[in-house]
Amino acid sequence: MNKFYKRFVFLIALVLVISGIVIYSTVDINTLKNLGEFQWWSIALAVFAVALGLFFDGSRLMHLVKISNEHITLYEAVQVIFGNYFLALLTPGATGGAVAQLMFLRHAGVPTGKAAVLVIVRTLLSIFFLACCMPLILLHDHGIVPGISNTTLMVITLAAFFGILFIVWGARKGFLDVIVVWLTRKFSITKRRKIFAFYRDTKSAISLLLKSPRAMLLVFVESGLNLLCIYAIVPCLLLGLGVYDADWTSVMGRMIFLNMLLYFMPTPGGSGIAEGGFVLLFANTVPAGTVGIVAVCWRLIAEYIPFLIGLYYTLTVFGRDFLNRQLAQ
């Protein structure tokens, strides 16, 4: 069995095991009663929310490519987006997602250097939007994480926010170059080259962000709409369970908080951590005995279905040989 099939089978097994454990550990005597009242129209509403989010994702990518003086079609943008979902779930820490975006952008005719910059910009904008939301979430939702005060979380969030601004300012002024060289002075030549290449692409990404402020503001808004639509899956599912009086601001805030953490988790696509974090954050919001099922449904609609579509596009465009080469690296 080749590398691709081994990784694919492992992922499927991992998803099934995690889903089974999450559901088994959260069911109780109220599960069947609450599921019996579930309204199936909420599934269609959740799928529509995902589709709308993917539309904004494709739109922001096309606008980004236009800012870099290149051009891609909507269909090519769709391939980039779903390819990202596919390889992100197949690789630890979702590192393969960036590779997939780079390869699809190159296939669409975007030069490698610009493609690498665009991938970094997409990630930076998403993280920056979430970072901007975090202070508002922590001010509204007290005790979001048991055992950790909101004050501590606020300090961490503000430190990360100003850290991002410092990196942008330092890269633009040039003195961050000296810091990077000093921090990597004891690394091997190979590692230093990789770090310098990534840092060079990051500087180019920052330059692109500041190149066209008005156009980039539109891309930033589209980034936020993309994420909010994807996170709206959970409110849609809760409505289907008859939850009409929830604090929807807190629900969306906790989804933002959870997904912010998933950007830095080492497991493929955040598997395991996403489901566990969801159960922890929403145990008191979701009807009794259904929090695990809602967590699995959320992951299915938000990640696993786009993963399968990304598999189709990747095999269609590049074939299995490409996957074997990428997964072997």
Side-chain angles (χ1 to χ4, degrees):
M1 187 181 291
N2 61 35
K3 189 81 172 180
F4 164 65
Y5 284 115
K6 288 181 179 178
R7 191 71 65 87
F8 186 78
V9 170
F10 172 77
L11 175 65
I12 297 299
L14 178 65
V15 169
L16 291 175
V17 169
I18 291 173
S19 300
I21 292 174
V22 169
I23 293 175
Y24 178 78
S25 60
T26 55
V27 296
D28 60 24
I29 194 171
N30 299 301
T31 301
L32 292 178
K33 175 186 174 183
N34 289 322
L35 286 180
E37 299 175 358
F38 182 71
Q39 302 297 316
W40 292 99
W41 52 259
S42 69
I43 297 292
L45 192 60
V47 172
F48 173 75
V50 172
L52 191 60
L54 293 175
F55 166 78
F56 285 122
D57 202 2
S59 178
R60 71 163 177 163
L61 177 59
M62 293 180 69
H63 286 137
L64 271 176
V65 172
K66 185 177 180 180
I67 292 172
S68 68
N69 297 317
E70 300 293 335
H71 173 77
I72 62 172
T73 65
L74 177 60
Y75 183 67
E76 289 168 335
V78 168
Q79 291 180 333
V80 174
I81 293 164
F82 284 114
N84 173 44
Y85 275 99
F86 172 61
L87 272 186
L89 271 177
L90 271 186
T91 51
T95 53
V99 175
Q101 293 178 68
L102 180 62
M103 295 304 297
F104 275 105
L105 283 170
R106 287 179 56 188
H107 184 264
V110 179
T112 302
K114 286 186 178 181
V117 170
L118 292 173
V119 171
I120 294 174
V121 170
R122 274 168 50 84
T123 304
L124 287 177
L125 284 175
S126 295
I127 294 177
F128 188 65
F129 174 81
L130 297 178
C132 289
C133 292
M134 284 304 299
L136 300 176
I137 294 168
L138 295 174
L139 289 173
H140 175 79
D141 192 352
H142 300 287
I144 188 170
V145 179
I148 304 178
S149 69
N150 276 27
T151 301
T152 301
L153 292 174
M154 182 69 81
V155 170
I156 295 172
T157 299
L158 292 177
F161 180 81
F162 287 111
I164 293 173
L165 295 181
F166 173 78
I167 290 173
V168 171
W169 179 65
R172 290 291 292 172
K173 294 297 183 179
F175 70 81
L176 198 60
D177 303 4
V178 179
I179 296 177
V180 173
V181 171
W182 181 79
L183 290 174
T184 59
R185 67 191 187 283
K186 294 184 179 180
F187 290 8
S188 66
I189 296 297
T190 302
K191 288 184 177 180
R192 293 189 78 187
R193 285 177 177 171
K194 289 182 178 180
I195 293 173
F196 291 158
F198 177 75
Y199 177 64
R200 182 180 62 251
D201 290 340
T202 302
K203 287 187 66 174
S204 299
I206 292 171
S207 297
L208 181 63
L209 283 168
L210 301 176
K211 175 184 175 182
S212 306
R214 290 185 180 179
M216 200 56 68
L217 178 61
L218 172 61
V219 175
F220 178 74
V221 171
E222 289 178 319
S223 297
L225 292 173
N226 156 239
L227 295 173
L228 292 177
C229 286
I230 298 296
Y231 302 160
I233 294 172
V234 173
C236 292
L237 295 176
L238 293 183
L239 288 173
L241 287 169
V243 179
Y244 300 112
D245 57 349
D247 184 346
W248 299 113
T249 303
S250 294
V251 170
M252 291 298 289
R254 293 191 175 206
M255 287 301 298
I256 290 173
F257 178 80
L258 176 57
N259 282 274
M260 182 73 168
L261 294 180
L262 294 181
Y263 270 99
F264 308 100
M265 294 298 105
T267 59
S271 297
I273 298 172
E275 292 84 352
F278 185 93
V279 171
L280 177 67
L281 293 174
F282 291 97
N284 296 325
T285 304
V286 180
T290 60
V291 64
I293 296 173
V294 174
V296 171
C297 288
W298 158 56
R299 292 288 285 172
L300 176 66
I301 297 172
E303 298 287 343
Y304 302 138
I305 292 178
F307 163 83
L308 293 175
I309 298 174
L311 168 63
Y312 166 77
Y313 280 130
T314 305
L315 292 178
T316 300
V317 175
F318 299 111
R320 285 176 294 181
D321 290 339
F322 160 78
L323 290 173
N324 290 328
R325 290 195 303 270
Q326 293 301 323
L327 296 176
Q329 294 178 1

